[in-house]
Each structure stands twice: as structure tokens, then as C-alpha cells.
Amino acid sequence: MLAMRDRVAGRPLALGGMLALASAIGIGRFVYTPLLPAMAEGLGLTGGQAGLIASANFCGYLAGALLAAARLPGSRRAWLLGALALGAATTGTMGVASGLPAFLLLRGIGGAASAFVLVFASALVLDRLAAAGRGGLAALHFAGVGAGIAVSAGLVALPGLGWRELWSASGLVSLAAAGAVAWLVPGQERAARPVAAQPAGDGRWLAWWAVAYGLFGFGYVVTATFLVAIVRAEAALRAVEPFVWLVVGLAAVPSVALWGWGGRRFGLARSFAAACVVEAAGVAASVLWPGAAGALVAAALLGGTFMGLTALGLAGGRALSAGDPRRTFAALTAAFGIGQIVGPVLAGLLHDRTGSFGLPSLLAAAALLAAGAMALRVPLRGEAGPRKPMVQCGNSCSDAGKA
């Protein structure tokens, strides 16, 4: 019995979650970044059009997050596997599509699929790991995004392939990963563990936390979308272009474990705020620090924080929710999605007006600093040591601060 429990809820399950996020997000969502310069050159895309394609993916992401919060028939595993297959299909089809409307449609559907994967994989895998006392393996689950980014960087570096062939190859790799998920994540659903009653102030603080999470979504996405394009625009940086996106992925792989340790040691809110500051430095470095060193530092700081922030954000939401965390995850994903939608379009339009990603990148860094400041005001259950809220809103907030 114990052997079966370990098999179902141990490393194979976490590995399945890792492959799910690698397929739908690491590759499905983020392969657009290293492919964008070649697409833009081949199709003559403006900055605004490139940003619009990115935002179409994030609009789909938002729609998927909202739909994932609804009561849906069937099992969570079925929805997870269906979303993985759909995401792989839309990624591969980008290689044969023509015209802006087709790209917008495919990226929109793919974005919805990636939101479903994040919500259902996180709820399914994290619940089972927690029930088996293997919560520490959550870092392996979230490492999938960094692993997928690293794989996408390797795919794009393949010689002799155009951007269309690379989209198709990315879809095939995503589909193969989805097949592995079907084998590693079993079908048995575990009953939800009983959770203590929700404190009175949690709904208000959850909204506050969601706004901070949305600002993080806006803050990271400009660099996450246009970093390779920023590097390609500088002739002196062409030598490091193949490595920049790889550095992002490799830095992202251990980031969840690192920031997770910080969350346990110093508290989720403090660690979230610290990661926002570090990421803001990386976003600013992408445009303020000229040369290869600045580009690589920006890549390392972005990769080393954005998935850690994602995991800390979801963990904070879980601490503010009761029962099945799926709706909380969906609400946070929706807030994140709004930030992601605004970011690329605004950055593309400002680039077309100014000829540079400098202004939108600095706005993104400011948003990250604001997100960190907001997170510090949220009292989370389970934090080491009581922290009183910094705003006064009556007895309910005081009670939440003591929780």
C-alpha cells in the first residue's frame, strides 16, 4: 500500500507535472520569444503586430483561466490531457499558418490550453503531493517551465531550419511530452483533504494578492517576449543571441526550489517581494546595461525569478483559500493574464513610436516593484512569525494578520 502511494504521489507524479508545464508553457507559450526575430524578418512584422500576436496568446490564457474556474464535467486529468494535446496541435500548426488572423487564432487557442494545463496540473499534482506528504517535490513540477524554455532554445538553435519548420518541430516535441504525462499522471482522483474554515479577511486579501500577481504578469512579460529581439537589434550582441534564451531556461529550472526555500525561511510574501526586486533589476538591465554582460545578466535574473514568483504567487493564493484551490488558482491566473495582455501590446506600440524597448521595459520594472510592495502588505496563514497588516480595515484584517 505504501509502495503504491509513493509511486502515485512521488517523483513520477512530479515528473509528470514537470513535463506538462514544459509542453504547454515552456515550449507552447515561450517558444514564440526565440522564434519572433526570424518570424518578424520573414513576414515583415511591426513591433505592434508582434506584440499583438503575443497578446493574443495571453488573451486566450485569460479566457482559459476563467473557464477553468467553472464547474466542468469529467475529471481533472481528462481536462489536463485534452489541453496538452490541443496546445501541442496549435503550436505545430503555427508552422503552416499564413496571415495575421490565423496566427492570432492559433496563439489564442494555445493560450487557453496553457492556462488549463497550469490550473489543472497544479491543482491535481500539488494536491496529490500534499496528500502523500511529498510537498517538497512541487519544485520539480514547476521546474518544467524552465526545462521547456531550455528545450525551446535548443530547438531554435538547430541548423538549417526556418521558423516554420521550428514551429512544427516544437509542436511534435510538445505532443511527445503530453504522451509521457498520460503515463506518469494516473487516473485515480484523491478526495480533497479537509481544510480549516477560511478566516473572514481572506477574500479581501486574496484580491489584493491577485492585483500584485497581475502586476507581476505585466512586469515580466515585456522582457520575456522581446528579450531575444532586443539582443538581435544590437549588432554587437549577435554572438550571444543563441545563448540568451538558453540562459533564461537554465536559470528557471532551479528557481522554484530556491525561492521555495526562501518562502519557507522568510515567508511567502517577503520572498515574493524580494523576487520582484531581483526581476525588476533584470528587466532594467536588459535596456540599461549595454553589451553582452548586460544581456546575459538580464536573462539570468529573468529566468531565475519568474517561475519562482509564479510558484510563490500560487502558494500564497493557496494559503488564502479554503478547500479545492482550483478556483483560487484560476483567479490568480486571470489577474496574471490581464497583465500579460497589456504588456506586449503596449511595449510593441511604444517601440514603434520610440524605436526602442527602453521605455516599456522601465515601466515593467516599475510594475514589478509595485507588485513587491503590495505583496508585503498581505498577511498569509502559515507565515513564520505573526505579521500585522500595514493597512487598517477593522477587526477582520486584524484577525487575518494574526492567522
Side-chain angles (χ1 to χ4, degrees):
M1 184 70 177
L2 285 176
M4 175 62 72
R5 175 174 171 174
D6 286 341
R7 184 183 71 81
V8 170
R11 290 186 181 277
L13 178 62
L15 180 61
M18 183 189 79
L19 290 174
L21 298 191
S23 172
I25 301 178
I27 298 175
R29 192 204 306 181
F30 287 118
V31 75
Y32 178 69
T33 299
L35 286 177
L36 174 58
M39 282 186 67
E41 290 177 5
L43 299 172
L45 297 176
T46 66
Q49 289 172 326
L52 188 61
I53 294 172
S55 288
N57 184 254
F58 302 139
C59 285
Y61 192 80
L62 173 59
L66 295 174
L67 183 58
R71 288 187 176 274
L72 299 172
S75 69
R76 294 184 291 185
R77 180 176 180 271
W79 283 103
L80 169 62
L81 296 179
L84 284 168
L86 181 61
T90 57
T91 298
T93 307
M94 285 287 291
V96 297
S98 296
L100 186 61
F103 291 138
L104 294 177
L105 177 63
L106 287 170
R107 293 305 284 164
I109 296 172
S114 67
F116 262 68
V117 170
L118 178 63
V119 171
F120 281 96
S122 296
L124 182 62
V125 172
L126 298 183
D127 270 1
R128 292 185 181 184
L129 290 177
R134 305 295 299 276
L137 290 174
L140 180 59
H141 166 71
F142 285 110
V145 176
I149 289 174
V151 169
S152 72
L155 284 171
V156 173
L158 291 174
L161 296 180
W163 63 267
R164 290 190 180 276
E165 292 83 2
L166 290 171
W167 272 114
S168 298
S170 299
L172 290 174
V173 173
S174 295
L175 187 61
V181 174
W183 179 62
L184 291 166
V185 179
Q188 296 86 356
E189 293 277 9
R190 290 182 177 270
R193 299 176 69 186
V195 181
Q198 192 175 10
D202 275 7
R204 188 177 306 176
W205 289 118
L206 179 57
W208 191 266
W209 188 258
V211 172
Y213 200 60
L215 286 171
F216 154 55
F218 174 85
Y220 102 96
V221 77
V222 173
T223 307
T225 301
F226 294 108
L227 178 60
V228 177
I230 292 171
V231 171
R232 177 167 288 201
E234 299 291 335
L237 299 181
R238 288 293 181 93
V240 301
E241 181 184 339
F243 305 104
V244 166
W245 197 239
L246 179 62
V247 169
V248 173
L250 294 178
V253 171
S255 66
V256 175
L258 173 65
W259 290 107
W261 173 84
R264 293 188 297 275
R265 178 67 178 82
F266 303 106
L268 293 172
R270 293 184 182 92
S271 293
F272 186 93
C276 282
V277 172
V278 173
E279 187 166 297
V283 169
S286 70
V287 293
L288 295 181
W289 188 346
L296 293 174
V297 167
L301 294 183
L302 174 68
T305 52
F306 83 95
M307 274 313 299
L309 279 164
T310 300
L312 289 170
L314 294 177
R318 187 182 181 92
L320 290 167
S321 65
D324 186 350
R326 181 168 55 92
R327 290 192 175 185
T328 297
F329 289 166
L332 291 174
T333 303
F336 188 78
I338 293 172
Q340 288 188 131
I341 291 167
V342 175
V345 171
L346 178 62
L349 292 175
L350 289 175
H351 173 270
D352 289 344
R353 285 180 174 271
T354 65
S356 166
F357 286 105
L359 178 57
S361 295
L362 294 179
L363 288 175
L368 286 164
L369 295 177
M374 290 188 69
L376 286 175
R377 301 166 72 94
V378 179
L380 298 175
R381 298 199 305 270
E383 296 281 58
R387 292 192 301 115
K388 293 183 178 179
M390 296 175 65
V391 293
Q392 300 298 322
C393 52
N395 294 332
S396 63
C397 283
S398 300
D399 293 339
K402 297 172 183 176

